[in-house]
Amino acid sequence: MNKLKVGVIGGTGMVGQRFVSLLAEHPWFELTAIAASSRSAGKTYEEAAGSRWALEVPMPEKAKGIIVQSATDDKEAIASQVDFVFSAVDMQKDEIKALEEAYARLECPVVSNNSAHRWTPDVPMVVPEINPGHLDIIPAQRKRLGTKRGFIAVKSNCSLQSYVPALHPLKDEFGLTEALVCTYQAISGAGKTFETWPEMVDNVIPYIGGEEEKSEQEPMKLWGHIENGQIVNADGPSITAQCLRVPCSNGHMAAVFARFAKKPTREEILARWAAYQGKPQELGLPSAPKQFLHYFEEDNRPQTRLDRNLEGGMAVSIGRLRPDTQYDYKFVCLSHNTLRGAAGGAVLLAELLCAEGWLDR
């Protein structure tokens, strides 16, 4: 297949950098445009991002010489150069909503890592292994926007990517009714490193703005259904969350407590996790992990440093499944927050959009 030409708007931030890194050798997509703020416009990507490059891998050679454009002022030029864009801009929410819709109205599809459009009723918020059917809302969104090709699709919050995949295969089978979740989130989720955020060394902060609301509410949209041109949220299960920032570079961990209408055995839960496959695995998408959910029998796994990069950082690790005295079961989960939880999840979503024809020229 001929590669689709791709742009990254917001390419100098940490998630934008991860997009640039993942696209360097992608078999389906070719990075041809990078946009950022007007301060970076006109510079090479190496000049604009070089001193702030925060990833553990080197900046791709192919990206260094790309001239950065203005995400806001050069919309028409960027839209004419690419087949779609990834959005990782750092702006006010209303500004992001307007900017992403502007690109979509220029007939340039947007795959967004941002939260701005997660609650727009006709914008699909998709974890590809969980709710790929929500992409069927795109024609309704195109009708509202007045576009033939342009649309916006978003991924969910990074913290959800650890525990929602573990709950999903159990939800309908055993009637998940309640879940209590405590997340322990890496500093890269705030776009930081230990060099730029030394206050996090030897520290835990028991508050992340807006994160608990997202963790409790966004799963309801993932588990919702399409009705009359919009996505209607699910009524349950009930989720309560507490989110902490911990001194890890990458990797969000979650401690999960779950109650079911029909209590499964431990063996039934493990069997559901082991057998679960989503659309990305069925289609063999390039970024899809072969095994979506990995269970560790060791009492001390998963561990952030050991397991966050499992299957290229795109798998979810689970461990310590055991009965609880107040809930039915408790367990822990782990996912890589800037790969599965951010840029990698968005790239996988773009691969699904491509495979199902939504990005056809």
Side-chain angles (χ1 to χ4, degrees):
M1 61 180 289
N2 292 326
K3 288 189 176 185
L4 294 179
K5 295 179 180 179
V6 182
V8 176
I9 58 174
T12 56
M14 184 174 285
V15 174
Q17 293 175 21
R18 188 66 79 178
F19 275 124
V20 169
S21 176
L22 292 173
L23 293 169
E25 302 296 334
H26 196 280
W28 293 5
F29 306 143
E30 179 184 0
L31 179 64
T32 57
I34 301 175
S37 69
S38 57
R39 297 188 305 274
S40 297
K43 300 177 182 178
T44 66
Y45 186 64
E46 185 174 27
E47 292 169 338
S51 63
R52 293 184 288 146
W53 186 257
L55 304 188
E56 68 281 1
V57 296
M59 181 183 292
E61 290 295 327
K62 294 179 181 178
K64 289 181 177 179
I66 294 177
I67 302 300
V68 177
Q69 300 177 72
S70 168
T72 55
D73 298 338
D74 298 323
K75 295 186 296 291
E76 291 82 1
I78 294 167
S80 69
Q81 295 165 11
V82 302
D83 295 302
F84 72 98
V85 295
F86 290 108
S87 174
V89 291
D90 183 11
M91 303 165 65
Q92 295 296 317
K93 186 169 290 189
D94 287 345
E95 295 174 330
I96 294 173
K97 290 181 74 171
L99 183 66
E100 291 181 348
E101 284 205 1
Y103 275 91
R105 292 180 192 277
L106 289 168
E107 302 294 357
C108 180
V110 178
V111 180
S112 179
N113 183 71
N114 296 302
S115 65
H117 272 293
R118 287 182 191 155
W119 291 108
T120 304
D122 60 9
V123 170
M125 181 177 71
V126 175
V127 176
E129 286 91 349
I130 291 176
N131 62 328
H134 282 194
L135 298 181
D136 291 339
I137 198 71
I138 290 174
Q141 184 193 149
R142 284 173 168 164
K143 183 177 180 180
R144 174 177 64 84
L145 294 175
T147 60
K148 294 182 178 179
R149 188 172 177 273
F151 64 88
I152 302 162
V154 302
K155 51 158 292 301
S156 66
N157 184 261
C158 54
S159 66
L160 276 67
Q161 308 285 329
S162 55
Y163 63 88
V164 170
L167 292 173
H168 181 70
L170 314 177
K171 182 177 75 73
D172 294 335
E173 182 76 10
F174 305 115
L176 177 68
T177 58
E178 297 175 68
L180 182 154
V181 180
C182 296
T183 64
Y184 306 88
Q185 301 184 206
I187 63 173
S188 56
K192 304 287 189 178
T193 65
F194 288 115
E195 288 73 26
T196 61
W197 201 4
E199 297 85 355
M200 274 307 301
V201 176
D202 193 30
N203 195 21
V204 172
I205 298 176
Y207 173 73
I208 306 173
E211 203 75 4
E212 290 166 1
E213 294 83 358
K214 295 173 185 175
S215 296
E216 294 170 354
Q217 296 168 14
E218 287 188 18
M220 300 307 111
K221 185 170 182 178
L222 291 176
W223 288 326
H225 66 277
I226 296 174
E227 184 179 317
N228 297 324
Q230 62 181 10
I231 297 169
V232 179
N233 294 345
D235 294 328
S238 172
I239 297 176
T240 184
Q242 187 158 250
C243 301
L244 289 75
R245 188 73 71 192
V246 296
C248 296
S249 57
N250 294 293
H252 286 358
M253 186 170 281
V256 184
F257 301 77
R259 183 175 289 126
F260 301 92
K262 176 187 172 185
K263 183 178 178 180
T265 65
R266 184 177 187 273
E267 290 70 27
E268 287 175 322
I269 293 175
L270 293 176
R272 292 288 294 177
W273 284 340
Y276 188 76
Q277 285 197 328
K279 185 65 73 71
Q281 287 72 39
E282 295 170 11
L283 295 174
L285 300 179
S287 298
K290 289 183 172 58
Q291 180 72 32
F292 182 36
L293 306 174
H294 289 250
Y295 186 79
F296 289 90
E297 289 289 354
E298 298 92 332
D299 287 338
N300 64 347
R301 302 283 288 277
Q303 293 182 26
T304 302
R305 286 182 63 181
L306 294 180
D307 303 312
R308 63 191 169 200
N309 290 314
L310 190 63
E311 295 214 40
M314 292 298 289
V316 174
S317 302
I318 313 172
R320 301 205 67 209
L321 174 65
R322 61 214 190 277
D324 184 61
T325 57
Q326 298 183 39
Y327 288 75
D328 290 328
Y329 286 97
K330 54 189 171 185
F331 52 89
V332 295
C333 304
L334 172 72
S335 64
H336 194 301
N337 56 295
T338 68
L339 287 168
R340 165 56 71 169
V347 171
L348 183 62
L349 173 54
E351 292 169 1
L352 178 62
L353 289 161
C354 181
E356 299 204 329
W358 296 107
L359 296 177
D360 288 349
R361 296 180 177 90

